[in-house]
């Protein structure tokens, strides 16, 4: 390295020479050496307009190729009269921004084999170079319809994406098997869809059949946005259960399963699902559907899902949902969560999450209401209906409180920023989830709403609660299907209408600020404190059993999957301090081959502060390393403990309504 004075002199000389060199060039020479400028982006796709499309799309899907996991699609797309008279460009979209996913998750990578014809003659197409989900079709003059064919090349294994076709179940999501014309609100595009299923299979969907011929069912005409919002489950083994016998507005549970025995539900089990409908109606005092269809797959083969729709929901549960009822309770808040979305998310929706079509970007700033309050009511309605017992829900809430109270990422990232995560991460695995935070607006949002509920009860002397806010905010316009949008100030107003308070500050403090700890005032105000004991948490045990994991999150700070692979390491935990990272494989504990019981015994034995550190032999790729973890805290599982002398608000929140 040269002395500083010489470096400065050299830099000054080089700058001066560069200036002389550039200023001494002729204008033509300077132009030749000028820096590149960006090309203007093409503006070749019309913006959506709220006007009638002027024709009906005919959509035909064949979902019988189970062996190759391929759905074959044919569409007849009318050409608008003005375009038919002149010919020209007609862009067709593949849906990308899907309500409920909150991100551009359309299965464009599974789209293949596109062929477009007019009058039997092939037409060239070109993909838009910027909006790659748009296909420009050059319509010849005089062509009044386009014949469009393609395939959905759905995943054969989970490594490629979510599996939607198995030997016994098919999940048809219409956004994956349809193109639609750009330039229109999707509510202005009529579609008549038909579907071919394997012989003898039955199906459930919010769509209603117009006709059936053999294995082909044709559905009634609906707008394109309603079609996309009305997926279908079909199966070799199928059962339909009426959840609202005698009601003017029917609600149905449509079950498919890998094995026929999984469909065997007792009358008591059916009864608590019927109670869910009753308790939701008592909570919201309204409905925004003329029928509702729960779609529930009991499977280990179809990809997992929990996705809301206005008149239905797509749900997956474990094998044993009914047959191992006492072990699978941790999966049973899902139906209550997705059902709540018919009110919160589909009917009432944050304004920046509503879009005129499925290729307009959405923003998720209101997901702390859309998903956070839905997560709250999912647990509450599960308890009120009996889908989960009150002690089971209490254990679930303890796990939520402990997880978010110890999540280190909250010290740098406010909760509101996590509403961007559907776009940032697309729910891909994260190396350090507890530091990155991911979509914490779900369950930490749930804690915010418990905080609000108990505060309303306290301020009103028990006269009001969040139940009143829910009915006031989500229960308007009974029977209307028209989405009603809202913004932050509308939420604050709804809270103040029920119980005056500085709700704007209350919410901003919990949404916009970083903090060391989760918002747990709802528990202490409601008569409980978070504690840790060596007794296993029943909810954690249920989740671990269904997901085939072993959970030491609140002691060592690790979760292990099958074979000892580290599925998660909590940031700042004893394991993290020792340098352990996810995806390593735990081979041995204190010299003994790993299994969950061996690790539990080692944690118990190390509780004595004079004990040696726990020695873990890890396989990291082709390397083996031994790591010492100086942890002496014993087994720790979260629970809620009653605070003597405080009213038990939580018991009242979870109690069934009559």
């Amino acid at each position: 390295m040269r002395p500083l004075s010489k470096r400065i002199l050299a830099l000054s000389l080089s700058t001066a020479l560069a200036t002389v060199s550039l200023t001494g060039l002729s204008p033509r020479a300077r132009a030749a050496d000028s820096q590149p400028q960006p090309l203007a982006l093409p503006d070749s796709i019309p913006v959506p307009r709220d006007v009638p499309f002027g024709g009906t799309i005919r959509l035909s899907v064949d979902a019988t190729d189970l062996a190759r996991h391929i759905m074959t699609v044919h569409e007849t797309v009318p050409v608008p009269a003005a375009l038919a008279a002149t010919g020209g460009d007609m862009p067709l979209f593949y849906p990308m921004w899907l309500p409920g996913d909150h991100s551009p998750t359309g299965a464009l990578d599974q789209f293949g084999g596109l062929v477009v014809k007019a009058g039997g003659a092939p037409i060239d197409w070109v993909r838009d170079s910027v909006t790659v989900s748009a296909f420009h079709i050059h319509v010849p003059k005089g062509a009044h319809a386009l014949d469009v064919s393609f395939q959905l090349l759905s995943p054969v294994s989970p490594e490629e994406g979510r599996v939607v076709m198995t030997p016994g179940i098919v999940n048809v999501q219409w956004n994956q098997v349809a193109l639609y014309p750009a330039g229109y609100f999707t509510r202005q595009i009529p579609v008549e869809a038909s579907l071919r299923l394997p012989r003898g299979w039955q199906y459930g969907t919010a769509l209603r059949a117009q006709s059936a011929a053999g294995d082909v069912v044709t559905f009634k005409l609906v707008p394109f946005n309603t079609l996309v919002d009305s997926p279908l489950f079909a199966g070799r083994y199928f059962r339909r259960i009426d959840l609202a016998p005698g009601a003017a507005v029917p609600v149905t549970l449509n079950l498919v399963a890998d094995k026929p025995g999984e469909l065997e539900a007792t009358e008591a089990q059916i009864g608590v699902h019927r109670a869910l409908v009753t308790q939701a109606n008592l909570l919201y005092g309204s409905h925004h559907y003329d029928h509702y269809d729960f779609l529930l797959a009991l499977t280990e083969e179809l990809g997992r899902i929990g996705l809301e729709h206005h008149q239905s929901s797509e749900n997956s549960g474990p094998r044993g949902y009914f047959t191992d009822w006492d072990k699978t309770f941790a999966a049973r808040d899902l139906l209550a969560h997705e059902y709540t979305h018919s009110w919160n998310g589909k009917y009432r929706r944050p304004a920046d999450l509503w879009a005129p079509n499925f290729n307009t970007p959405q923003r998720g700033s209101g997901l702390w209401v859309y998903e956070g309050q839905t997560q709250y009511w999912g647990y509450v309605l599960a308890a009120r209906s009996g889908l989960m017992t009150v002690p089971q829900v209490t254990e679930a809430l303890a796990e939520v409180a402990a997880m978010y109270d110890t999540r280190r990422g909250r010290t740098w990232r406010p909760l509101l920023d996590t509403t961007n995560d559907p776009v940032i991460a697309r729910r891909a695995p994260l190396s350090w989830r507890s530091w990155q935070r991911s979509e914490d607006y779900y369950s930490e949002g749930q804690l915010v709403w418990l905080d609000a509920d108990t505060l309303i009860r306290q301020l009103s002397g028990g006269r009001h609660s969040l139940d009143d806010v829910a009915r006031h905010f989500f229960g308007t316009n009974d029977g209307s299907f028209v989405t009603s949008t809202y913004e932050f100030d509308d939420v604050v107003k709804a809270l103040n209408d029920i119980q005056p308070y500085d709700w704007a500050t209350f919410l901003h403090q919990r949404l916009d600020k970083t903090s060391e700890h989760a918002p747990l005032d709802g528990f202490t105000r409601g008569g409980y404190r978070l504690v840790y004991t060596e007794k296993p948490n029943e909810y954690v045990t249920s989740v671990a059993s269904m997901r085939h994991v072993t959970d030491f999150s609140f002691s060592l700070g690790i979760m292990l999957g099958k074979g000892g692979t580290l599925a998660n390491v909590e940031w700042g935990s004893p394991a993290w301090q020792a340098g352990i990272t996810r995806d390593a494989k735990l081979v041995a504990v204190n010299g003994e081959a790993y299994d969950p019981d061996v690790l539990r015994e080692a944690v118990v034995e190390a509780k004595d502060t004079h004990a040696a550190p726990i020695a873990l032999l890890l396989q990291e790729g082709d390397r083996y390393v031994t790591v010492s973890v100086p942890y002496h805290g014993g087994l720790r599982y979260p629970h809620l403990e009653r605070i003597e002398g405080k009213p038990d608000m939580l018991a009242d929140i979870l109690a069934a309504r009559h």
Side-chain angles (χ1 to χ4, degrees):
M1 182 178 290
R2 290 177 291 178
L4 182 60
S5 59
K6 291 185 178 181
R7 289 172 58 209
I8 293 173
L9 177 60
L11 179 61
S12 300
L13 286 171
S14 63
T15 303
L17 287 171
T19 303
V20 170
S21 175
L22 287 173
T23 56
L25 291 175
S26 67
R28 179 175 295 179
R30 287 201 302 272
D33 291 340
S34 64
Q35 296 295 310
Q37 297 298 314
L39 286 174
L41 293 177
D43 186 19
S44 54
I45 301 175
V47 298
R49 296 177 301 143
D50 196 9
V51 297
F53 172 55
T56 296
I57 294 176
R58 310 290 174 183
L59 171 66
S60 175
V61 179
D62 187 320
T64 60
D65 192 351
L66 304 178
R68 290 177 292 204
H69 297 239
I70 296 172
M71 296 189 201
T72 302
V73 181
H74 180 262
E75 277 185 273
T76 301
V77 182
V79 175
L83 181 59
T86 61
D89 182 39
M90 183 173 176
L92 298 179
F93 269 137
Y94 188 79
M96 293 300 295
W97 282 85
L98 308 175
D101 283 355
H102 318 308
S103 60
T105 54
L108 190 59
D109 58 328
Q110 301 167 23
F111 177 94
L114 177 61
V115 175
V116 183
K117 296 180 180 180
I123 302 175
D124 290 338
W125 57 266
V126 62
R127 190 190 299 264
D128 192 273
S129 60
V130 176
T131 306
V132 295
S133 56
F135 301 88
H136 295 279
I137 316 298
H138 186 74
V139 178
K141 182 178 179 179
H144 295 282
L146 301 176
D147 292 314
V148 181
S149 299
F150 63 91
Q151 299 89 40
L152 174 71
L153 309 170
S154 75
V156 175
S157 70
E159 286 72 26
E160 300 155 13
R162 180 174 171 266
V163 173
V164 297
M165 302 181 80
T166 79
I169 302 173
V170 165
N171 178 194
V172 178
Q173 296 179 312
W174 300 102
N175 51 278
Q176 295 187 336
V177 291
L179 296 174
Y180 70 97
Y184 302 87
F185 283 26
T186 51
R187 67 190 180 203
Q188 296 278 16
I189 304 172
V191 185
E192 182 184 88
S194 65
L195 175 66
R196 181 182 295 276
L197 291 167
R199 180 162 298 175
W201 283 29
Q202 298 181 68
Y203 67 87
T205 177
L207 297 175
R208 290 302 180 251
Q210 176 175 286
S211 63
D215 300 319
V216 177
V217 57
T218 300
F219 298 101
K220 293 180 179 179
L221 191 74
V222 293
F224 189 82
N225 64 323
T226 300
L227 178 75
V228 169
D229 200 38
S230 306
L232 177 146
F233 277 10
R236 186 186 310 276
Y237 308 115
F238 181 91
R239 184 179 180 186
R240 182 175 289 111
I241 299 173
D242 184 357
L243 295 186
V249 181
V251 180
T252 305
L253 177 61
N254 301 276
L255 299 170
V256 291
D258 295 337
K259 304 291 184 182
E262 300 295 336
L263 302 176
E264 297 300 322
T266 67
E267 283 303 312
Q269 291 166 346
I270 293 171
V272 295
H273 288 81
R274 287 175 174 159
L276 170 59
V277 178
T278 300
Q279 290 299 318
N281 288 334
L282 289 171
L283 173 62
Y284 299 113
S286 67
H287 59 83
H288 301 284
Y289 49 80
D290 57 16
H291 60 274
Y292 190 93
D293 284 84
F294 288 101
L295 312 179
L296 177 58
L298 307 180
T299 178
E300 292 182 358
E301 298 181 30
L302 192 77
R304 291 175 58 190
I305 193 168
L307 187 59
E308 67 273 11
H309 304 282
H310 209 134
Q311 298 198 106
S312 65
S313 57
E314 295 169 278
N315 310 278
S316 59
R319 288 181 182 175
Y321 180 87
F322 292 118
T323 55
D324 287 327
W325 186 255
D326 292 337
K327 297 178 181 178
T328 58
F329 71 85
R332 291 202 293 272
D333 69 301
L334 177 61
L335 294 187
H337 178 106
E338 303 303 347
Y339 191 33
T340 284
H341 271 316
S342 183
W343 290 268
N344 180 8
K346 303 306 293 186
Y347 167 58
R348 294 307 307 268
R349 191 178 310 175
D352 59 7
L353 270 175
W354 185 90
N357 67 13
F358 299 108
N359 293 73
T360 300
Q362 303 168 16
R363 292 164 292 163
S365 65
L367 284 170
W368 55 278
V369 181
Y370 183 121
E371 295 290 6
Q373 194 173 146
T374 295
Q375 188 77 354
Y376 180 72
W377 291 124
Y379 276 25
V380 170
L381 288 174
R384 291 181 184 180
S385 64
L387 281 167
M388 296 167 68
T389 66
V390 170
Q392 287 169 345
V393 172
T394 303
E395 289 279 79
L397 289 169
E399 189 269 347
V400 171
M403 177 181 295
Y404 291 93
D405 195 46
T406 56
R407 181 149 288 184
R408 296 299 181 90
R410 63 182 310 103
T411 61
W412 74 270
R413 189 177 188 189
L415 180 63
L416 189 63
D417 188 57
T418 71
T419 63
N420 295 300
D421 252 47
V423 178
I424 294 170
R426 311 278 178 91
R427 297 181 176 172
L430 299 173
S431 299
W432 301 104
R433 184 184 179 94
S434 59
W435 184 245
Q436 292 161 282
R437 289 207 80 182
S438 190
E439 297 179 51
D440 289 2
Y441 55 81
Y442 274 89
S443 294
E444 188 171 325
Q446 176 184 20
L447 298 179
V448 171
W449 290 110
L450 174 63
D451 197 352
D453 195 353
T454 56
L455 183 56
I456 292 169
R457 291 165 183 268
Q458 183 184 73
L459 293 172
S460 68
R463 293 187 302 276
H464 298 298
S465 70
L466 198 65
D467 290 53
D468 302 308
V469 178
R471 179 181 286 256
H472 176 59
F473 194 63
F474 301 117
T476 57
N477 299 323
D478 184 25
S480 173
F481 296 1
V482 178
T483 299
S484 174
T485 61
Y486 62 86
E487 299 182 61
F488 179 86
D489 288 345
D490 299 310
V491 179
V492 171
K493 181 180 183 304
L495 288 162
N496 276 312
D497 286 346
I498 300 303
Q499 177 58 54
Y501 186 67
D502 187 1
W503 291 108
T505 298
F506 173 93
L507 293 172
H508 281 306
Q509 186 66 38
R510 289 155 180 78
L511 299 174
D512 305 340
K513 308 295 184 182
T514 58
S515 62
E516 286 285 339
H517 295 285
L520 302 186
D521 288 350
F523 292 107
T524 53
R525 194 181 294 114
Y528 289 81
R529 64 171 65 91
L530 175 65
V531 298
Y532 296 88
T533 73
E534 294 183 349
K535 177 185 175 183
N537 176 296
E538 291 185 18
Y539 179 82
V540 173
T541 301
S542 178
V543 171
S545 174
M546 290 188 295
R547 296 184 180 176
H548 309 291
V549 298
T550 306
D551 199 340
F552 292 88
S553 295
F554 304 107
S555 51
L556 292 172
I558 59 176
M559 183 181 294
L560 300 107
K562 287 183 177 179
T565 299
L566 286 157
N568 186 53
V569 178
E570 292 289 319
W571 187 278
S573 67
W576 186 88
Q577 298 284 355
I580 296 173
T581 306
R582 63 164 290 161
D583 291 337
K585 181 178 180 180
L586 180 55
V587 178
V589 180
N590 292 338
E592 186 176 353
Y594 164 76
D595 73 29
D597 288 336
V598 168
L599 183 55
R600 286 190 194 93
E601 291 170 5
V603 172
V604 171
E605 291 171 1
K607 189 174 181 181
D608 183 349
T609 55
H610 300 293
I614 302 169
L616 304 180
L617 176 61
L618 300 170
Q619 181 181 0
E620 299 176 347
D622 294 332
R623 299 184 308 114
Y624 288 84
V625 296
T626 299
V627 177
S628 293
V629 184
Y631 174 70
H632 305 289
L635 295 172
R636 297 176 80 244
Y637 300 100
H639 303 278
L640 294 181
E641 179 181 82
R642 283 284 288 123
I643 300 173
E644 187 176 352
K646 282 218 168 192
D648 190 347
M649 289 187 189
L650 192 57
D652 184 58
I653 289 170
L654 301 179
R657 300 309 190 243
H658 301 285

